Amino acid sequence: ATGGLGKKVLEELKTRGYFVRALAKTNKDGDKIKSLADEVFIGDASQAESIRHVCDHIDIVFSALGKSVSLFDKDKEDKSFFDIDYKANKNLIEEAKKSGVKRFVYISIYGSDLYG
């Protein structure tokens, strides 16, 4: 929920009155969105063990997890698109299944320039 797309989705969900638990990778990132979420869960979805129980008592997971393509991205980690776009979402899906989540939604801005 800390990227550009995730923040917009978070704002919209709160505007519509949904209870929102947001996933942030670090406490610093979490602080940036805590006013927009009911709960902030700190964990790195590319590391399955760090997101255990993130989906407990949640009906719908809305994932905007994806590697930033921004030239201004300050994340110095050398994680690949595979690590973020595939592996992190796979870990989140597995956690959602364990928790009995009813619906998993994935959104991406990749290719959005083709439809603008």
Side-chain angles (χ1 to χ4, degrees):
T2 59
L5 180 59
K7 283 182 189 171
K8 292 294 184 190
V9 170
L10 180 59
E11 290 169 358
E12 184 62 27
L13 292 172
K14 285 309 297 170
T15 298
R16 292 180 182 221
Y18 287 96
F19 169 86
V20 176
R21 179 181 300 147
L23 176 62
K25 193 169 165 183
T26 66
N27 285 321
K28 184 178 177 183
D29 289 339
D31 287 344
K32 294 176 187 176
I33 60 168
K34 68 181 176 186
S35 66
L36 300 172
D38 297 291
E39 292 179 7
V40 176
F41 188 101
I42 306 301
D44 181 351
S46 68
Q47 299 174 8
E49 66 281 353
S50 78
I51 60 166
R52 282 197 186 112
H53 305 292
V54 68
C55 299
D56 287 0
H57 311 292
I58 297 295
D59 295 320
I60 302 169
V61 171
F62 196 104
S63 175
L65 282 169
K67 183 166 175 64
S68 175
V69 294
S70 171
L71 297 174
F72 305 103
D73 185 19
K74 294 180 174 82
D75 189 359
K76 302 297 182 202
E77 288 190 51
D78 193 26
K79 291 193 176 175
S80 68
F81 285 95
F82 178 81
D83 289 332
I84 306 300
D85 293 61
Y86 176 76
K87 186 178 175 186
N89 276 293
K90 183 177 182 296
N91 290 340
L92 191 55
I93 288 168
E94 291 302 318
E95 193 61 34
K97 286 168 44 178
K98 288 179 196 171
S99 297
V101 168
K102 295 178 175 97
R103 181 169 292 175
F104 189 99
V105 179
Y106 171 76
I107 188 169
S108 171
I109 61 169
Y110 179 76
S112 63
D113 56 323
L114 301 174
Y115 303 102

